[in-house]
Amino acid sequence: MATDEFISWLKDSWRVIRYPLLEVSGNKITLLSILTAVLFFYASVAMSKIAEKLVGKILKEKTQLDPGVKDSIKRFTRYTVLIVGVLITLDTIGISISSLAALGAVLMVGIGFGLQNITQNFISGLIILLERPIKIGDMVEVKGVRGKIIEIGARSTLIHTRDDVAIIVPNSQFISEQVVNESFSGEKVRLEIKVGVSYGSDPEKVENILLSLSEKHPRVLKHPAPCVFFEGFGASSLDFTLKIWVSDLWNNEGITSDLRFAI
């Protein structure tokens, strides 16, 4: 008797989950199709992450590729798998690609009212991955925020400052605002230290002292070599500028501080 009741319960449950809830473009959407779509969606998200990790492991062996290129390939792999998964998910509930045209028109209205910022940041993220004006590891400054890029997401970029603070910056700011990228042309940057000495000082001796101190610092590059410029005659001093090249962008403030103490 219990078996008959269980079988009857299964039949009733199957009938309920297959009961049409609504109809879209002639396709009946049931509870079963919704559950299947949710399952496919979560599987697509998991597969996109797995695909990104697999591509990352393969690209890790390609040492000749720029780290920014590797990250862009990984991101596009994840987005591609996710988009294919979403299309399959929609197909399981009877929404074909042709049906998305009407849905797209509705979405455009929604975007116009409240989703324009999200869409703008997402498209800006794609532009960043394609054109690569910035990449992970770059030292940048945008709208007063300065630090190292540690992650470029679909909507925002994560910047780590020297104060050990993580700042989330919308991707659109890297497209619409002026961005200073110290790492764009390489990992080295030129720094300068301004020095003022009294009018009784020997300019050549000043130059020799500044060059000697900079050459002794272990983190100052020998090529290009440090140089000293006689900038002008100040109101109460002779003005010089010591220019040095360093490859340690993260600690450049410490290098200039060491040289100022030495001077």
Side-chain angles (χ1 to χ4, degrees):
M1 187 66 181
T3 304
D4 294 338
E5 291 178 355
F6 179 72
I7 294 174
S8 177
W9 177 80
L10 286 178
K11 290 180 179 180
D12 292 338
S13 300
W14 181 253
R15 194 179 301 110
V16 169
I17 63 175
R18 296 201 63 184
Y19 183 80
L21 300 176
L22 65 147
E23 187 173 327
V24 178
S25 300
N27 297 304
K28 296 178 180 179
I29 297 178
T30 65
L31 183 60
L32 178 62
S33 62
I34 294 175
L35 293 175
T36 305
V38 171
L39 180 63
F40 268 110
F41 178 74
Y42 277 103
S44 301
V45 173
M47 286 296 296
S48 65
K49 293 179 180 179
I50 293 173
E52 183 180 23
K53 291 180 180 179
L54 288 176
V55 171
K57 289 182 180 179
I58 295 173
L59 294 176
K60 192 175 183 180
E61 301 174 358
K62 307 292 184 181
T63 55
Q64 71 275 15
L65 285 179
D66 184 270
V69 175
K70 294 179 181 179
D71 184 69
S72 297
I73 295 174
K74 290 192 299 181
R75 293 286 180 179
F76 273 112
T77 300
R78 180 176 178 178
Y79 293 157
T80 301
V81 174
L82 188 58
I83 290 172
V84 171
V86 170
L87 292 176
I88 295 175
T89 300
L90 293 175
D91 188 65
T92 58
I93 56 176
I95 300 178
S96 61
I97 297 178
S98 58
S99 302
L100 294 178
L103 181 61
V106 176
L107 288 177
M108 289 302 295
V109 175
I111 289 171
F113 281 104
L115 301 178
Q116 65 268 31
N117 288 335
I118 296 176
T119 305
Q120 182 182 12
N121 288 322
F122 179 75
I123 294 175
S124 297
L126 294 179
I127 294 174
I128 289 172
L129 292 177
L130 285 172
E131 295 186 353
R132 301 201 306 114
I134 59 172
K135 58 184 183 297
I136 292 178
D138 280 357
M139 286 291 298
V140 300
E141 180 176 352
V142 55
K143 294 196 73 173
V145 176
R146 188 168 185 267
K148 180 185 293 185
I149 294 177
I150 59 176
E151 182 181 348
I152 300 176
R155 294 183 298 104
S156 60
T157 295
L158 193 61
I159 295 180
H160 184 215
T161 69
R162 288 189 175 92
D163 299 325
D164 198 23
V165 175
I167 300 178
I168 300 172
V169 180
N171 286 333
S172 59
Q173 290 191 9
F174 290 97
I175 303 300
S176 60
E177 302 290 338
Q178 176 177 293
V179 180
V180 177
N181 188 348
E182 296 180 4
S183 310
F184 185 79
S185 58
E187 292 300 319
K188 62 183 180 183
V189 66
R190 189 169 74 166
L191 307 176
E192 63 177 36
I193 300 175
K194 296 187 178 298
V195 180
V197 298
S198 65
Y199 267 92
S201 305
D202 182 353
E204 292 185 354
K205 187 175 182 180
V206 173
E207 180 184 27
N208 292 334
I209 290 174
L210 294 179
L211 290 176
S212 175
L213 292 174
S214 60
E215 290 169 355
K216 289 179 182 178
H217 198 287
R219 288 188 288 180
V220 174
L221 297 179
K222 302 298 185 292
H223 303 284
C227 57
V228 177
F229 293 94
F230 191 163
E231 297 289 351
F233 302 93
S236 59
S237 64
L238 301 175
D239 299 328
F240 294 83
T241 300
L242 170 64
K243 294 183 181 291
I244 59 173
W245 287 87
V246 300
S247 59
D248 189 356
L249 300 180
W250 187 253
N251 297 306
N252 55 19
E253 291 179 346
I255 296 173
T256 54
S257 176
D258 291 344
L259 289 173
R260 289 191 182 98
F261 272 115
I263 293 169

